[in-house]
């Protein structure tokens, strides 16, 4: 039922957007796009998937065999589920699949994925905070967003660095959370504790994973900037470092289907100083393709993993 509600919200937002946009102008934007930049920007999906798969390999303990091909298959299979689950929750399926394949036990696999997603979110917030700081035309809204992003980044780093602060945070969350969420928070707290114990014992490895995550998200934002070049738009790169993360964060809100609708609306709103509405709508479609292409490529692998799970249950 929740999925149907999310899909309905996405469709309503898209209907509002495209009711206000001349679709002929939108088609003209794609017809007159730069084919070279379009090909390069879309092809960025390949190195992004490759670097993310390599990072997953680095996350597993020494002595655990997780091949590069297997790591790529896990990333692509999770991409399929990310299209239908809110807030990138499909990535948590990687933990289940790694357990079923015998790579790791369940709790460690879950903690690794929690750490991976934490690094992703903090890296995105880091680039967003930097972009908002150097954004040239700041009004009260951008100062508010900058303060919120910086606050989220600081809280995330404190929770990642201090186990005692993390325990206080989880206790406070469980006190005010609905009963239906408390069991999930208990599981997340256990995974967070195991993550602390595992990753802080090797600070060199921790630094390498964090640096890789920051670099991966630089490539993500670079891809979106390349989309603007493909659409013959003039968006300063530093401005894109502020605007693209805001649109991505809007898409992570668990309101719509795979972020479709909220992300598109955010792109139109935030890129307004640089893009007309039809060009911004085209950019929204290209940003959706960033998630759609890996999901299509991951369908065969997801079927393989689901078949494996079904076989083992028998």
């Amino acid at each position: 039922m929740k999925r149907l509600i999310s899909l309905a919200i996405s469709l309503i937002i898209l209907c509002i957007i495209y009711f206000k946009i001349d679709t002929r102008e939108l088609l003209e934007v794609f017809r007159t796009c730069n084919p070279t930049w379009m090909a390069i920007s879309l092809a960025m999906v390949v190195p992004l998937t490759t670097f993310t798969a390599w990072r997953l390999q680095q996350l597993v303990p020494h002595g655990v065999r997780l091949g590069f091909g297997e790591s790529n298959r896990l990333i692509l299979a999770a991409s399929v589920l990310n299209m239908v689950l809110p807030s990138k929750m499909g990535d948590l399926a990687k933990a289940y699949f790694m357990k079923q394949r015998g790579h790791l036990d369940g709790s460690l696999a879950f903690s690794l994925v929690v750490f991976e997603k934490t690094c992703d979110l903090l890296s995105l917030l880091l680039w967003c905070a930097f972009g908002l700081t150097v954004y040239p035309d700041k009004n009260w809204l951008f100062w508010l967003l900058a303060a919120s992003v910086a606050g989220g980044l600081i809280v995330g780093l404190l929770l990642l660095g201090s186990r005692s602060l993390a325990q206080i945070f989880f206790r406070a969350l469980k006190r005010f959370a609905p009963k239906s969420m408390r069991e999930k928070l208990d599981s997340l707290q256990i995974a967070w504790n195991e993550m602390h114990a595992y990753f802080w014992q090797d600070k060199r490895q921790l630094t390498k994973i964090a640096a890789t995550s920051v670099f991966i998200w630089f490539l993500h934002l670079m891809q979106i900037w390349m989309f603007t070049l493909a659409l013959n738009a003039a968006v300063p790169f530093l401005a894109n470092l502020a605007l693209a993360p805001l649109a991505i964060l809007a898409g992570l809100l668990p309101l719509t289907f795979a972020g479709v609708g909220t992300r598109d609306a955010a792109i139109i709103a935030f890129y307004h100083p640089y893009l007309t509405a039809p060009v911004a709508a085209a950019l929204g479609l290209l940003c959706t393709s960033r998630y759609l292409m890996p999901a299509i490529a991951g369908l065969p692998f997801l079927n393989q993993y689901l078949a494996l799970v079904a076989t083992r249950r028998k």
Side-chain angles (χ1 to χ4, degrees):
M1 186 63 182
K2 290 181 179 179
R3 289 288 81 206
L4 291 176
I5 293 174
S6 298
L7 180 59
I9 294 174
S10 288
L11 291 175
I12 290 170
I13 295 174
L14 290 178
C15 286
I16 294 172
I17 290 173
Y18 289 108
F19 179 76
K20 294 184 176 182
I21 292 175
D22 189 335
T23 53
R24 290 174 297 180
E25 292 184 12
L26 176 61
L27 293 174
E28 183 66 14
V29 170
F30 282 111
R31 191 187 70 80
T32 59
C33 71
N34 185 309
T36 302
W37 276 115
M38 185 65 74
I40 293 172
S41 57
L42 291 173
M44 281 288 290
V45 169
V46 177
L48 281 166
T49 303
T50 300
F51 277 113
T52 306
W54 180 82
R55 182 184 61 177
L56 182 59
Q57 278 189 296
Q58 306 309 305
L59 283 167
V60 300
H62 297 296
V64 174
R65 183 174 177 79
L66 180 64
F68 185 64
E70 176 76 359
S71 183
N72 272 279
R73 288 190 290 271
L74 286 165
I75 296 296
L76 292 172
S79 297
V80 183
L81 295 174
N82 281 334
M83 289 298 296
V84 295
L85 296 177
S87 304
K88 296 283 190 173
M89 293 300 291
D91 284 301
L92 297 179
K94 292 200 298 265
Y96 183 70
F97 294 145
M98 283 191 286
K99 175 188 175 184
Q100 292 298 318
R101 296 280 286 183
H103 297 299
L104 299 169
D105 65 75
S107 60
L108 180 56
F110 184 54
S111 68
L112 292 184
V113 174
V114 167
F115 180 71
E116 180 188 37
K117 293 300 100 187
T118 301
C119 284
D120 277 337
L121 180 58
L122 292 180
S123 298
L124 180 61
L125 291 176
L126 177 64
W127 283 117
C128 189
F130 173 76
L132 288 169
T133 301
V134 300
Y135 190 77
D137 188 20
K138 289 188 281 287
N139 55 24
W140 67 269
L141 177 61
F142 272 84
W143 281 116
L144 178 63
L145 290 172
S148 301
V149 169
L153 177 62
I154 291 170
V155 169
L157 291 173
L158 289 174
L159 294 178
L160 192 63
S162 171
R163 186 181 297 184
S164 58
L165 284 176
Q167 298 309 306
I168 295 172
F169 176 77
F170 279 112
R171 282 199 295 269
L173 267 185
K174 286 187 287 187
R175 179 175 298 178
F176 297 103
K179 289 183 178 180
S180 59
M181 289 186 60
R182 289 176 188 173
E183 186 175 343
K184 295 179 181 178
L185 288 172
D186 284 335
S187 300
L188 182 58
Q189 184 176 10
I190 293 170
W192 196 272
N193 290 335
E194 188 165 353
M195 177 192 71
H196 266 280
Y198 174 70
F199 283 104
W200 279 104
Q201 66 184 357
D202 188 346
K203 293 182 175 60
R204 183 177 178 181
Q205 179 74 353
L206 177 67
T207 303
K208 181 169 71 172
I209 297 300
T212 303
S213 300
V214 172
F215 176 67
I216 287 172
W217 273 97
F218 176 79
L219 293 182
H220 278 291
L221 302 178
M222 173 73 79
Q223 183 189 33
I224 295 174
W225 182 66
M226 288 179 178
F227 284 152
T228 67
L229 297 180
L231 297 172
N232 299 308
V235 179
F237 181 70
L238 290 179
N240 185 74
L241 289 180
L243 303 178
L246 290 175
I248 292 172
L249 289 170
L252 292 178
L253 296 174
L255 301 173
T256 55
F257 182 81
V260 175
T262 48
R263 185 171 52 245
D264 300 77
I267 288 173
I268 293 173
F270 290 128
Y271 280 86
H272 176 69
Y274 305 103
L275 305 178
T276 63
V279 177
L283 179 59
L285 291 173
L286 290 175
C287 286
T288 298
S289 74
R290 288 167 21 86
Y291 307 99
L292 185 59
M293 287 189 293
I296 293 172
L299 279 172
F301 306 124
L302 178 62
N303 289 334
Q304 292 174 16
Y305 286 121
L306 294 177
L308 172 67
V309 170
T311 300
R312 295 203 170 186
R313 283 183 175 176
K314 290 178 181 179

